[in-house]
Amino acid sequence: MWRFNYIVYTVITFALSFANSEYTYETKWFTVPLDHFSFQRNETFKIKYLVNDTYWDRSRGPIFFYTGNEGQIEQFAKYTGFIWENAEEFKAKIVFAEHRYYGGSMPFGNKSLDNEHIGYLTAAQALADYADLVDYLQGGAQKPHYPVIAFGGSYGGMLAAYFRMKYPHLVTGAIAASAPVHMFTGMVPCDVFDRIVTSSFSFAGDKKNCSANIKASWKVLRNFITSKNNTDWLKTEWRLCDAVNTTNIKSLIDYLKDMYTNMAMVNYPYESSFLMPLPANPVRSACQFLNKELEGTDLLKEYTGDIAVGKVLEMYTNYDKNNKCVDFKSDNYGNLDASGWDYQACTEMVMPMCTNETDMFEASTWNFSSYSEDCHKKYNVFPRPDAARIQYGGDRLQAATNIVFSNGLLDPWAGGGILNSVSPSTIAVIIINTAHHLDLMPSNKNDPKTVRMTRNIHKQQINKWIREFWK
Ligand SMILES: *[C@@H]1O[C@H](CO)[C@@H](O)[C@H](O)[C@H]1NC(C)=O
Ligand SMILES: *[C@@H]1O[C@H](CO)[C@@H](O)[C@H](O)[C@H]1NC(C)=O
Ligand SMILES: *[C@@H]1O[C@H](CO)[C@@H](O)[C@H](O)[C@H]1NC(C)=O
Ligand SMILES: *[C@@H]1O[C@H](CO)[C@@H](O)[C@H](O)[C@H]1NC(C)=O
Ligand SMILES: *[C@@H]1O[C@H](CO)[C@@H](O)[C@H](O)[C@H]1NC(C)=O
Ligand SMILES: *[C@@H]1O[C@H](CO)[C@@H](O)[C@H](O)[C@H]1NC(C)=O
Ligand SMILES: *[C@@H]1O[C@H](CO)[C@@H](O)[C@H](O)[C@H]1NC(C)=O
C-alpha cells in the first residue's frame, strides 16, 4: 500500500515478507478485454497468472486465488506463504493473478502508463479481469465446480474483499489482510495513519524520547539548510547522493517521513529484506539511536555517540552495507514496481491523509483541492473522492458475507481497517502486536502466538465456507 505524497510525487512502499522461501509455479497468460465496461473498444490484452496445482484435488479441491495488487505478481507469490503452506491440507489449486498495468500485464506495453493509455487502470477493471479468469478456471460452467477462496494483503486485501462482495457467485469467501477499506473520505479522521506511526515510535523508546526527537528534528533540519546553508556537510554525513538546499529539502523530508512510515509498516519480528534489508523489529532498532534527549544539530548527527537521525537513515539505507548513496529524490518503490499506484490514488483510491500537530511529523492538512490540482497536472484526471465508498460500500458492509478482515494494530493502515466484526460471517480479527499483513506471510519461528492464532481462524473460516459451498 502506498501513501500518495502530493506536491512532490514520491510514494511510500509497503512490504510483504522476507523468508527465503522459493515457491515454484507455472506462468500463464489470460486474455481479457481492455475495457470491460463499454463496447466501443474491443481490444484485448493478456494478464499474467501463476499456477500450481500439484496438491489440487481435481474432483473437488478449492481454488486459492490471490487477487494481485500493485506490483509484479511474483513478489506476492513469493511472500504470501500462507497460501503455499495450506494448499496441501486443503488440496487446493494455487492461482496468483497479476493486476492489470503492473508487472507484465501491460495493455500497451511500455507505453501503458502514458496518460493516453492509463485510463483502463482501475480496481473495477482488475476485478472484472479476475472474474473472467475465475470463470475460465471453472471451465465456463454455469454451476461452478470448485469453491474459490480469494486472498490478498493491503490493496490486494481490499480487492479480495471487493471480489467477494461484487462477485459472490464466483467467489466463495475472502481473506482480506490489512485491507484499509475505510481509508476513504469521511470514514476515518485523516490523521489516523500518522497517529499510529507516532505511537509506534513513542512506545518503542524510553519516555517517548524517540518520537519527541523525530518531531524536533524537522525544524532543526529546515533551519540547518536555510540558515546555516551548510548543504555539503549533510550530504557527506548522511551519504546523500545530492546536496540538500531549499529547493529539494521537501524531497528529503518526504523521504525521511516515508522511512519512518515504512519501518512502522514492516515492523516485523524478524530480519527482513523485501523492500530494503532491515533488522528485526526495525522501529525498536531505530529508536535505539534516538533514545536520549537530543537538541539542535545533535539530532541530525551527534559526533560522540552512535545516535541521531543520521544513524537511523544509515540503518534504513545501509543495513546490508552496500554503501550506496541515499537517493532521497527518487520514488521509493523498493522491489515492487508500483508506478501505477499514484494514478489509482488520483482516481478511485483517494485516501485523505493529514498530520495532527501532536504527532511526530510536521503538521499538515488534507486539502482535496490542491490534491486534485496535482492529479490533474500529472495525469490530466480529476479524482472522485467518493468513488470507493459508492462502489464498494465503505463502512456499510452489512450485506457482505464470508470475509475475514485481519489487521495488525502496529500497522498504520489498520487505521483504515475493519476492526469490528460486521456480522457472523464477515468478521474482524485484530492482531494486537503485528504490522502489515504478517498473517499472510511465510511462517517464521519468531511469529507471535497471536499471528499463529489468526492463521488458524483463517483456516477455520475457509473450511466453513467450503463446507457451505458443498451443501
Ligand atoms: C507446487 O508447489 C509445491 C510446494 O511448494 C512444489 O513441491 C511443487 O513442485 C510445485 N509444482 C509445480 C508444478 O511447480
Ligand atoms: C474488433 O472490431 C473490429 C472492427 O471495428 C473487427 O474487425 C474485429 O474483428 C473486432 N475484434 C474482436 C476481437 O472482436
Ligand atoms: C518499448 O517497447 C518497444 C517495443 O517493444 C521497444 O522497442 C522500446 O525500446 C521500449 N522502450 C523502452 C523505453 O523500454
Ligand atoms: C548559500 O550558498 C550559496 C552557494 O554556496 C550562495 O550562493 C548563497 O548566497 C548562500 N546563501 C546564504 C543565505 O548564505
Ligand atoms: C539544489 O540542489 C539541486 C541538486 O543538487 C540543484 O540542481 C539546484 O540547482 C539547487 N538549488 C539551489 C537553489 O541551490
Ligand atoms: C489533534 O489531536 C488532538 C488529540 O487527539 C485532538 O484533540 C485535535 O482535535 C486534533 N487536531 C486536529 C486538527 O485534528
Ligand atoms: C487548498 O488548496 C487550494 C488550491 O491549491 C488553495 O487555493 C486553498 O487555499 C487551499 N486551502 C487551504 C485551507 O489551505
Side-chain angles (χ1 to χ4, degrees):
M1 204 76 218
W2 314 70
R3 184 217 306 259
F4 182 94
N5 283 331
Y6 64 107
I7 302 171
V8 174
Y9 294 97
T10 59
V11 290
I12 47 165
T13 36
F14 78 99
L16 300 159
S17 160
F18 321 95
N20 294 321
S21 7
E22 284 300 336
Y23 304 116
T24 52
Y25 41 74
E26 277 179 82
T27 300
K28 298 191 173 184
W29 296 88
F30 179 69
T31 301
V32 293
L34 174 65
D35 185 2
H36 290 273
F37 306 113
S38 91
F39 294 84
Q40 324 256 248
R41 294 192 65 158
N42 67 358
E43 298 102 306
T44 60
F45 71 104
K46 290 187 165 70
I47 59 164
K48 192 196 292 170
Y49 66 110
L50 314 176
V51 184
N52 179 313
D53 50 18
T54 298
Y55 300 125
W56 192 31
D57 171 356
R58 279 154 210 275
S59 63
R60 52 193 278 131
I63 298 171
F64 283 181
F65 190 98
Y66 188 93
T67 47
N69 29 323
E70 75 287 17
Q72 49 303 26
I73 194 62
E74 291 83 358
Q75 288 295 101
F76 301 107
K78 184 168 176 185
Y79 297 106
T80 310
F82 181 85
I83 288 184
W84 297 93
E85 291 176 16
N86 290 289
E88 186 167 18
E89 182 180 332
F90 283 90
K91 298 187 167 60
K93 174 179 182 134
I94 298 169
V95 176
F96 282 86
E98 188 166 80
H99 195 296
R100 56 167 59 202
Y101 286 86
Y102 295 98
S105 300
M106 293 293 184
F108 300 94
N110 57 16
K111 293 196 166 52
S112 298
L113 298 178
D114 295 355
N115 284 358
E116 181 190 353
H117 295 306
I118 201 171
Y120 301 94
L121 166 54
T122 67
Q125 298 274 11
L127 289 171
D129 293 340
Y130 299 156
D132 278 3
L133 178 53
V134 163
D135 183 67
Y136 165 78
L137 295 170
Q138 296 278 14
Q142 175 61 27
K143 186 177 187 308
H145 295 299
Y146 311 107
V148 174
I149 311 298
F151 294 86
S154 197
Y155 169 52
M158 298 164 72
L159 292 175
Y162 297 162
F163 199 20
R164 164 66 188 169
M165 284 154 52
K166 290 291 187 192
Y167 297 91
H169 50 291
L170 298 177
V171 182
T172 316
I175 303 291
S178 299
V181 295
H182 274 177
M183 203 62 109
F184 294 112
T185 307
M187 294 181 205
V188 291
C190 59
D191 64 357
V192 68
F193 188 93
D194 285 346
R195 199 193 306 152
I196 297 173
V197 179
T198 301
S199 73
S200 188
F201 279 84
S202 295
F203 293 115
D206 288 344
K207 295 179 289 182
K208 301 201 175 179
N209 275 339
C210 188
S211 55
N213 281 332
I214 293 167
K215 188 176 175 58
S217 71
W218 308 113
K219 206 167 157 196
V220 173
L221 182 59
R222 282 192 190 276
N223 283 342
F224 189 73
I225 297 305
T226 51
S227 66
K228 297 246 166 85
N229 200 15
N230 193 351
T231 66
D232 284 341
W233 184 85
L234 202 62
K235 180 180 176 194
T236 312
E237 296 300 326
W238 283 10
R239 282 184 318 108
L240 306 176
C241 300
D242 295 284
V244 188
N245 55 36
T246 47
T247 317
N248 60 18
I249 181 137
K250 174 81 170 72
S251 307
L252 178 62
I253 286 178
D254 283 344
Y255 188 92
L256 294 171
K257 187 174 181 185
D258 291 350
M259 167 179 86
Y260 296 119
T261 304
N262 282 347
M263 289 192 290
M265 272 192 288
V266 304
N267 197 14
Y268 299 132
Y270 42 85
E271 198 172 68
S272 71
S273 61
F274 170 69
L275 244 199
M276 64 283 302
L278 286 175
N281 302 304
V283 172
R284 204 196 299 150
S285 303
C287 285
Q288 282 168 7
F289 304 125
L290 293 166
N291 227 1
K292 45 179 222 204
E293 283 178 43
L294 296 168
E295 277 185 355
T297 48
D298 280 357
L299 278 163
L300 306 183
K301 165 104 183 186
E302 200 254 20
Y303 280 104
T304 54
D306 239 2
I307 53 175
V309 171
K311 199 73 194 163
V312 178
L313 184 64
E314 186 188 331
M315 180 192 92
Y316 178 77
T317 56
N318 197 30
Y319 185 64
D320 65 351
K321 305 272 178 278
N322 70 26
N323 288 312
K324 282 203 208 112
C325 65
V326 177
D327 188 7
F328 63 89
K329 299 205 305 302
S330 73
D331 278 347
N332 188 1
Y333 294 127
N335 292 334
L336 266 193
D337 182 10
S339 325
W341 180 255
D342 275 358
Y343 175 80
Q344 294 198 257
C346 272
T347 50
E348 294 173 307
M349 297 290 154
V350 180
M351 299 183 176
M353 295 261 178
C354 65
T355 311
N356 191 306
E357 74 271 355
T358 55
D359 290 326
M360 71 180 205
F361 300 118
E362 293 179 305
S364 67
T365 53
W366 168 248
N367 182 336
F368 178 71
S369 308
S370 73
Y371 184 88
S372 182
E373 276 174 19
D374 283 342
C375 288
H376 189 241
K377 261 186 236 144
K378 192 173 180 194
Y379 297 111
N380 201 27
V381 295
F382 291 105
R384 294 185 197 147
D386 296 320
R389 176 177 61 80
I390 295 168
Q391 289 188 74
Y392 303 112
D395 41 14
R396 288 166 56 199
L397 302 185
Q398 288 80 0
T401 54
N402 292 8
I403 304 174
V404 178
F405 287 103
S406 58
N407 280 283
L409 291 191
L410 299 183
D411 176 13
W413 293 109
I418 304 255
L419 304 179
N420 295 299
S421 292
V422 177
S423 71
S425 80
T426 292
I427 65 171
V429 180
I430 290 179
I431 323 170
I432 51 164
N433 53 353
T434 69
H436 208 42
H437 56 69
L438 185 64
D439 46 331
L440 288 190
M441 295 187 184
S443 53
N444 184 287
K445 63 175 170 28
N446 291 332
D447 286 332
K449 207 164 122 195
T450 47
V451 91
R452 293 167 212 262
M453 286 161 57
T454 303
R455 291 180 183 136
N456 282 332
I457 294 173
H458 293 338
K459 287 171 65 177
Q460 282 163 16
Q461 293 297 310
I462 294 167
N463 266 316
K464 179 171 151 253
W465 301 333
I466 292 174
R467 277 198 311 274
E468 286 165 8
F469 175 89
W470 290 116
K471 256 190 216 153

